[in-house]
Amino acid sequence: MASELTRTLFCMFLRNLFRSAVITALISLAAASGQEPKLINGYEPKWWKEAVVYQIYPRSFKDSNGDGIGDLPGITSKLDYLQKLGVNVIWLSPHFDSPNADNGYDIRDYRKVMTEFGTMADFDTLLAGIKERHMRLIIDLVVNHTSDENKWFVESRKSKDNPYRDFYIWRPGHTAPDGTRTPPNNYPSYFSGSAWTLDPTTNEYYLHYFAAKQPDLNWADPKVREEVFSLMRFWLDKGVSGFRMDVIPLISKPTGMPDLTAEQLKNPPNAYANGPHLAEYLHEMNREVLSRYDDMSVGEATGTTLAQTSNLVDDRRHELNMIFNFDAIKLGRSDFGLSQLGPWSLPELKAIYDEHATVLTKHDWDTVFLSNHDNPRIVSTFGDDSPGMRVPSAKLFETLILTLRGTPFLYEGDELGMTDFPFKTLADYDDIAVKNAYKALVDTGKISASTFLASQAKVSRDNARTPMQWDSTAEAGFTTGTHPWLAVNPNYKEINAAQENSDPASVLNYVRALIALRARSLAFVYGDFDDLDPQHPHVFAYTRTLGKEKYLVVENFGSAALDYVLPNGLKAGHLVLSDMPGSRQSQVSTLHLAPWESRIYQQ
Ligand code: NOJ
Ligand code: CA
């Protein structure tokens, strides 16, 4: 009996042993067959790390029906152009139904296409055209706030006991003995004035970090989160490949929302961003939505420092893939209110990228960009847009963006070296940020109209929003109509895609070559980044190294030619790309660099 039991137990033991051996063998087989992630230089490979993203601001890209407003069929008609450029992900700024207080960043209906941009059928055609060309589409997720015309807010403002009341952030504010009402706290809006507006129907204030027509959603309400996750699934199920998430660190509000201190008022985004529940909300979003699709997510990280980046993107946290950090793009300028174009130096710019390389780990992933629809043009801001220097300086910044470490984001028109617009009067602008700031600063006598207009001309977001310059016909070929929603830059006869397409020395053809070069080597994606000469005032020289493969990038940031001696006895290898037809120097240690010249050597 006892021996029978022993035998049975022994058999069970053997069976279990066998089963666990089989499981272990299966696991190692899975690992060997590539089911376990195979790291490249310590990084987990992902399609979105290898992508080159191109941002389209639909209003300004291409008008197909002559009403002066860019639209979805217009974009579809230019997909071959984008494919030839070599980009493989398109980020579309908001295309949803909107009253356009902030050009689509105020959404009325998340499941409808903006009437001016077309129909859902036009969207489906666009998406199919993108996929046919082996590209992907990511869309803008604007869910810190909605439009005040969104049905949720229309309901919310009706009464204090409306089922949608808690979808937004309502407070009674303060009432003085004489009955004067003042907002609940001193929060300023990104678009001037208080971030609170008193709504007469229920006599309470609602919060809006941006315009009064952009009330902030209350993410503390689980029903809000459910609605957001549901609309995300709606678009992912249609086939989009992810989201650029508008001001995402703002969704969790500071505990108790006390007044900002004098110190915090110098930089309100830092106080508003990264609230106590941000990680919880993003984690839930990842679990409920993002992790179920092969998508990418990039958060627009207003108010977020480099040190805080890992809290959002470390892949062990399962929140976002990447964020936009504004240290480089805002160099010398502020991220809030009326910013001025300040002085900046190359060592400062290099220090930003050097710090990114030190602080971010192999579990984080970076983005590289110097432009978008909220910033002036790269070549006018960081380069030199004078006639002789525009082309080489535009090429230099594209070289930088496409060879630094991180997923590069290009903005429409930068591949042509498009410049700032010669803004003169307030009437030249469309942007609500400019109009509100004018009321708050000029109308109140705080600064003169001429000071205001001079500074806006250099920093205004409208610089990036003038229509794409397609050719030298009327209105730059953007529209067949005569009234584009924002004026075309008068320099379109010289700067346009048709002309650049046929000019081998154009910015456009250079960017095509750069993207093609990047596509040939993963060293530009996963390779280490080393700044060879951080203190040099005019030259940025760095290497990208992956195993035995090494590239040396040398860029002359200035309008003067110079002789540059490579540091540490280094010799330049084989020249693989240069923006100057004449430069053919290889295997030398002193480089004769023309103004704004950039070169890429394979070592
Ligand atoms: C950031 C967007 O990029 C900008 O265009 C917009 O005005 C604000 N967020 C508000 O949505
Ligand atoms: Ca149109």
Side-chain angles (χ1 to χ4, degrees):
M1 197 58 191
S3 70
E4 186 117 324
L5 185 66
T6 317
R7 206 177 313 128
T8 315
L9 285 175
F10 186 64
C11 282
M12 277 171 67
F13 168 76
L14 277 184
R15 218 178 296 138
N16 285 341
L17 196 72
F18 177 69
R19 197 177 296 151
S20 53
V22 168
I23 289 170
T24 316
L26 282 177
I27 289 173
S28 15
L29 211 68
S33 70
Q35 287 175 24
E36 285 270 298
K38 196 166 159 280
L39 303 184
I40 303 183
N41 192 23
Y43 294 99
E44 190 179 337
K46 292 280 181 193
W47 64 263
W48 43 264
K49 294 182 181 172
E50 296 170 21
V52 175
V53 186
Y54 184 94
Q55 183 192 353
I56 291 182
Y57 195 66
R59 216 174 182 73
S60 307
F61 195 62
K62 173 72 185 163
D63 173 22
S64 72
N65 61 355
D67 67 356
I69 298 174
D71 46 49
L72 302 186
I75 301 172
T76 304
S77 73
K78 294 295 181 186
L79 289 178
D80 287 338
Y81 168 85
L82 296 175
Q83 188 179 28
K84 189 165 177 203
L85 183 59
V87 298
N88 36 33
V89 175
I90 295 170
W91 151 27
L92 188 63
S93 273
H95 64 281
F96 316 93
D97 175 49
S98 163
N100 286 306
D102 186 20
N103 285 344
Y105 282 91
D106 48 320
I107 298 173
R108 185 164 46 203
D109 185 342
Y110 287 96
R111 287 176 167 79
K112 199 171 160 229
V113 170
M114 191 190 293
T115 316
E116 299 91 310
F117 291 172
T119 61
M120 193 60 93
D122 293 328
F123 180 87
D124 293 339
T125 306
L126 170 63
L127 185 55
I130 290 171
K131 294 199 163 176
E132 261 164 41
R133 289 166 181 80
H134 308 290
M135 298 189 279
R136 298 177 190 247
L137 177 67
I138 65 166
I139 58 173
D140 227 299
L141 184 74
V142 189
V143 287
N144 171 69
H145 45 269
T146 68
S147 162
D148 65 343
E149 298 181 28
N150 187 295
K151 63 177 187 232
W152 303 330
F153 191 75
V154 171
E155 286 299 317
S156 185
R157 77 193 322 178
K158 279 185 184 161
S159 67
K160 290 186 188 167
D161 57 7
N162 187 283
Y164 287 89
R165 185 66 171 181
D166 279 346
F167 266 48
Y168 295 86
I169 298 165
W170 294 97
R171 295 285 183 277
H174 306 291
T175 310
D178 68 355
T180 314
R181 303 291 299 274
T182 46
N185 67 20
N186 66 357
Y187 279 13
S189 151
Y190 277 73
F191 290 162
S192 306
S194 170
W196 296 95
T197 288
L198 184 62
D199 199 42
T201 313
T202 56
N203 215 14
E204 283 198 327
Y205 288 86
Y206 65 89
L207 179 71
H208 54 86
Y209 279 157
F210 295 89
K213 279 186 72 64
Q214 294 167 293
D216 279 43
L217 282 165
N218 174 22
W219 275 68
D221 183 346
K223 289 203 260 4
V224 166
R225 307 204 291 274
E226 262 168 45
E227 288 285 359
V228 170
F229 301 159
S230 154
L231 75 90
M232 290 172 77
R233 284 187 209 107
F234 172 83
W235 290 100
L236 287 164
D237 290 341
K238 259 191 174 293
V240 308
S241 296
F243 303 96
R244 173 270 187 185
M245 301 186 182
D246 193 65
V247 295
I248 201 74
L250 302 185
I251 59 176
S252 166
K253 308 304 181 211
T255 312
M257 297 200 290
D259 274 345
L260 297 188
T261 62
E263 196 51 34
Q264 288 174 316
L265 280 168
K266 291 183 192 154
N267 190 352
N270 276 20
Y272 293 162
N274 301 295
H277 299 287
L278 181 65
E280 181 190 319
Y281 300 156
L282 292 180
H283 194 75
E284 189 181 333
M285 177 193 279
N286 189 293
R287 190 187 64 226
E288 297 298 316
V289 187
L290 299 175
S291 61
R292 295 162 192 242
Y293 298 82
D294 179 24
D295 59 1
M296 72 173 248
S297 52
V298 52
E300 189 210 15
T302 179
T304 303
T305 62
L306 177 62
Q308 292 169 311
T309 301
S310 286
N311 297 343
L312 295 157
V313 306
D314 185 313
D315 57 14
R316 293 164 296 190
R317 298 177 64 102
H318 304 288
E319 292 174 22
L320 302 179
N321 296 144
M322 308 172 258
I323 60 162
F324 294 131
N325 166 295
F326 292 105
D327 293 348
I329 199 172
K330 297 286 183 188
L331 187 59
R333 292 188 293 143
S334 93
D335 188 13
F336 195 83
L338 180 74
S339 68
Q340 309 262 355
L341 198 58
W344 64 276
S345 70
L346 179 60
E348 282 176 294
L349 182 68
K350 292 192 275 192
I352 291 171
Y353 296 121
D354 297 349
E355 219 188 327
H356 277 228
T358 319
V359 171
L360 300 181
T361 75
K362 305 258 169 175
H363 287 285
D364 306 316
W365 192 253
D366 212 351
T367 57
V368 191
F369 65 103
L370 282 173
S371 56
N372 58 31
H373 64 294
D374 290 331
N375 286 278
R377 288 285 175 184
I378 298 182
V379 70
S380 306
T381 309
F382 296 97
D384 180 345
D385 63 8
S386 66
M389 297 297 154
R390 183 186 66 83
V391 169
S393 69
K395 289 175 177 174
L396 179 142
F397 287 99
E398 297 302 293
T399 310
L400 183 79
I401 293 165
L402 285 154
T403 58
L404 284 175
R405 197 181 57 182
T407 298
F409 285 74
L410 311 181
Y411 179 70
E412 64 183 37
D414 286 338
E415 76 277 19
L416 307 176
M418 276 176 63
T419 67
D420 280 355
F421 183 90
F423 288 107
K424 298 265 172 325
T425 70
L426 186 63
D428 295 338
Y429 294 92
D430 165 84
D431 187 2
I432 184 168
V434 177
K435 297 195 168 153
N436 282 5
Y438 192 94
K439 279 189 212 128
L441 298 168
V442 181
D443 288 351
T444 56
K446 290 199 179 89
I447 62 174
S448 72
S450 58
T451 307
F452 178 86
L453 291 169
S455 95
Q456 278 308 300
K458 292 195 171 2
V459 297
S460 166
R461 315 194 292 180
D462 279 343
N463 281 304
R465 298 175 180 185
T466 62
M468 251 312 258
Q469 294 165 208
W470 291 109
D471 57 41
S472 58
T473 64
E475 309 301 348
F478 163 71
T479 177
T480 52
T482 46
H483 287 99
W485 72 278
L486 193 62
V488 170
N489 196 312
N491 63 18
Y492 73 92
K493 293 225 158 105
E494 298 83 59
I495 306 173
N496 65 67
Q499 183 279 326
E500 296 201 24
N501 185 46
S502 55
D503 173 5
S506 68
V507 184
L508 177 61
N509 279 316
Y510 180 74
V511 176
R512 287 171 176 160
L514 254 176
I515 296 177
L517 172 65
R518 186 184 162 92
R520 284 207 300 274
S521 173
L522 288 179
F524 292 112
V525 179
Y526 301 108
D528 288 335
F529 159 82
D530 283 296
D531 181 353
L532 303 180
D533 204 351
Q535 296 309 324
H536 195 289
H538 305 297
V539 174
F540 197 177
Y542 51 93
T543 50
R544 298 298 312 275
T545 314
L546 183 65
K548 290 199 184 104
E549 223 181 328
K550 184 180 210 138
Y551 290 89
L552 165 69
V553 184
V554 184
E555 297 153 345
N556 174 11
F557 277 66
S559 302
L562 56 82
D563 285 345
Y564 179 62
V565 181
L566 289 165
N568 314 322
L570 190 71
K571 276 197 162 67
H574 165 67
L575 187 71
V576 286
L577 193 66
S578 157
D579 65 322
M580 301 281 154
S583 23
R584 280 290 167 267
Q585 285 180 281
S586 287
Q587 303 301 340
V588 290
S589 52
T590 301
L591 306 180
H592 309 296
L593 299 172
W596 294 105
E597 180 171 3
S598 24
R599 297 183 191 174
I600 305 176
Y601 290 93
Q602 187 160 12
Q603 296 301 99

